Amino acid sequence: MSLRFTPLVVGVSTLLALPAAMAAERVQVVTSFSILADMVENVGGEHVEVSSLVGPDGDTHVYSPRPGDARALAEADLVVFNGLLLEGWMDRLLDASDYQGRLVTATDGIEALDYHPHDHGHDHGHAHEHDHAHDSGEAHDHSHEHAHDSDEAHDPSHEHDHGSDDADDHSHDEHDHAHGDQDPHAWQDMAQAEAYITNIRDGLIDADEANADDYRANAERYLEEMAELDGELRALLEDVPSSATVITGHDSFGYFANAYGVRFLSPYGLSTEVEPSGASMAGLVDVINDENVQALFHENMTNPSVIEQLAEETGLEIKGTLYADALSSDGPASTYLGMMRHNAELLHDALAHAGNAEQAHEHSHDHAHEHDHEHSH
């Protein structure tokens, strides 16, 4: 009787082995953080198995690689990272893993924005009329991406002198300089993010030429979706008044500001590694009191206490959570396109209403002034 069931047992065993075999045939891709992982999954489709070193809601700036990360890279067919010194730990991890495979720098070919740490928000003004005319593209040299020599600059064991506000500011400036003179958060402009997709597409084709047609088709479809959403965001944020300003966790929305015309300020610089100084916080309080700052926003991967302190000191309302450097683990911001739509809708809801109230106040003030003027005659 046992012989009668032998073919069935063999058949079941074969079926159970199929998913594992299919997974083994997929291109093994490791990305540095969750936004890149989602992009790779959209371009790679069924042909890729993707893992992200920094997961949802994780902070790439302060990430400390784990022992298993080197092993993951060693076993990968393709590694995708942002570049522009966002991942200061990546060079050391690549060396530790002895990774010899294909490497995609997602920001290759973008028009990188120069970063000015003393002008938070001032260069991130209203750029509807600029149509992506970033002024720093020509100065960007991608040849340095794989040889940062950044061990000292990004060594998490180094000390910062917090003995005074001046020392804090000096440490803050040094850390921003260590992250480069250009803003690495280019995915926040969907037109710039097109380069991310084409770079990922080309990397997958190099790693798996047999499925090149699928990668090209997936990338084309995804780029069309991105272009459509980009237009929707521009139309939505046209309702935001040009004077509107918000404060968020760290200085990660420069590209968003340049593309969609919302002004951002932040107590942090490009990185979240150094706590903002007392002088920086006091300066922001003065800005909130003196300028047209409408709202504060948390970021999903930064310490909420700084924004909460600003809210307590100024009475300004915290309007929600924006997603800058990481996707959420679930919900509408769990994909790149969902994240961009969530951020734009949240900003619109907070700022367009404030703009209407401001315009109504100005109209009422002007009308009252005209009435008083007529009455005086």
Side-chain angles (χ1 to χ4, degrees):
M1 183 173 294
S2 61
L3 293 175
R4 186 180 304 170
F5 289 96
T6 299
L8 177 61
V9 173
V10 172
V12 171
S13 299
T14 302
L15 289 173
L16 290 175
L18 283 176
M22 290 174 62
E25 292 174 2
R26 293 176 181 172
V27 180
Q28 301 299 305
V29 185
V30 175
T31 66
S32 56
F33 65 112
S34 57
I35 293 170
L36 293 180
D38 183 63
M39 291 177 172
V40 172
E41 288 173 350
N42 275 277
V43 178
E46 63 183 2
H47 303 302
V48 298
E49 189 80 19
V50 185
S51 61
S52 180
L53 298 176
V54 184
D57 297 313
D59 188 346
T60 307
H61 294 288
V62 299
Y63 181 71
S64 180
R66 300 162 297 182
D69 291 345
R71 183 169 60 254
L73 261 62
E75 297 174 352
D77 300 308
L78 184 69
V79 171
V80 181
F81 74 114
N82 187 78
L84 293 180
L85 299 178
L86 176 72
E87 308 98 336
W89 38 267
M90 180 59 79
D91 281 342
R92 296 192 302 278
L93 182 58
L94 289 167
D95 290 341
S97 69
D98 196 27
Y99 177 70
Q100 301 297 319
R102 294 166 178 84
L103 192 63
V104 171
T105 306
T107 52
D108 273 351
I110 71 158
E111 298 178 22
L113 290 178
D114 288 335
Y115 178 68
H116 306 286
H118 294 292
D119 293 331
H120 294 324
H122 297 289
D123 288 339
H124 298 164
H126 305 276
H128 291 305
E129 70 276 13
H130 294 308
D131 194 25
H132 302 289
H134 307 303
D135 59 6
S136 60
E138 295 180 2
H140 184 54
D141 179 4
H142 295 285
S143 63
H144 71 282
E145 292 294 350
H146 302 301
H148 304 317
D149 191 23
S150 58
D151 287 353
E152 292 182 8
H154 295 279
D155 184 354
S157 65
H158 67 276
E159 297 294 330
H160 299 284
D161 181 3
H162 296 286
S164 68
D165 287 344
D166 289 342
D168 282 349
D169 288 339
H170 181 67
S171 175
H172 190 284
D173 293 345
E174 280 186 344
H175 237 76
D176 281 334
H177 181 72
H179 276 75
D181 297 323
Q182 293 172 317
D183 188 338
H185 304 89
W187 63 86
Q188 289 289 347
D189 177 349
M190 298 197 73
Q192 293 277 30
E194 292 178 3
Y196 283 58
I197 305 309
T198 57
N199 289 329
I200 289 169
R201 176 201 65 198
D202 294 345
L204 287 171
I205 291 173
D206 286 343
D208 180 25
E209 190 173 355
N211 292 304
D213 289 345
D214 285 350
Y215 298 138
R216 292 190 184 98
N218 290 344
E220 183 177 359
R221 171 195 53 78
Y222 194 52
L223 287 169
E224 288 174 357
E225 292 178 8
M226 288 171 57
E228 182 178 353
L229 180 57
D230 183 55
E232 292 176 11
L233 301 191
R234 291 175 182 280
L236 182 66
L237 293 171
E238 283 289 349
D239 292 340
V240 174
S242 61
S243 59
T245 302
V246 301
I247 293 176
T248 189
H250 79 298
D251 214 346
S252 56
F253 286 93
Y255 289 90
F256 191 102
N258 195 61
Y260 306 113
V262 179
R263 184 171 181 244
F264 290 80
L265 298 173
S266 170
Y268 286 92
L270 286 179
S271 173
T272 58
E273 290 182 81
V274 179
E275 290 292 322
S277 67
S280 174
M281 292 290 287
L284 272 179
V285 170
D286 290 341
V287 168
I288 290 171
N289 291 330
D290 295 343
E291 298 189 29
N292 188 36
V293 178
Q294 269 86 29
L296 303 171
F297 290 93
H298 286 308
E299 284 181 23
N300 64 318
M301 34 65 67
T302 58
N303 186 345
S305 63
V306 174
I307 296 299
E308 289 167 359
Q309 179 183 341
L310 286 172
E312 184 177 345
E313 293 186 12
T314 64
L316 200 61
E317 187 177 353
I318 299 173
K319 293 289 190 176
T321 298
L322 297 172
Y323 294 81
D325 295 13
L327 302 178
S328 62
S329 56
D330 54 25
S334 59
T335 67
Y336 169 62
L337 299 186
M339 177 194 81
M340 295 298 293
R341 180 179 284 107
H342 165 88
N343 287 346
E345 290 177 348
L346 189 61
L347 289 164
H348 173 271
D349 291 348
L351 302 178
H353 177 74
N356 292 336
E358 178 188 351
Q359 292 173 4
H361 174 75
E362 290 178 353
H363 176 75
S364 175
H365 175 78
D366 292 342
H367 180 74
H369 178 74
E370 290 174 1
H371 179 77
D372 289 345
H373 181 75
E374 290 174 359
H375 182 73
S376 65
H377 289 283

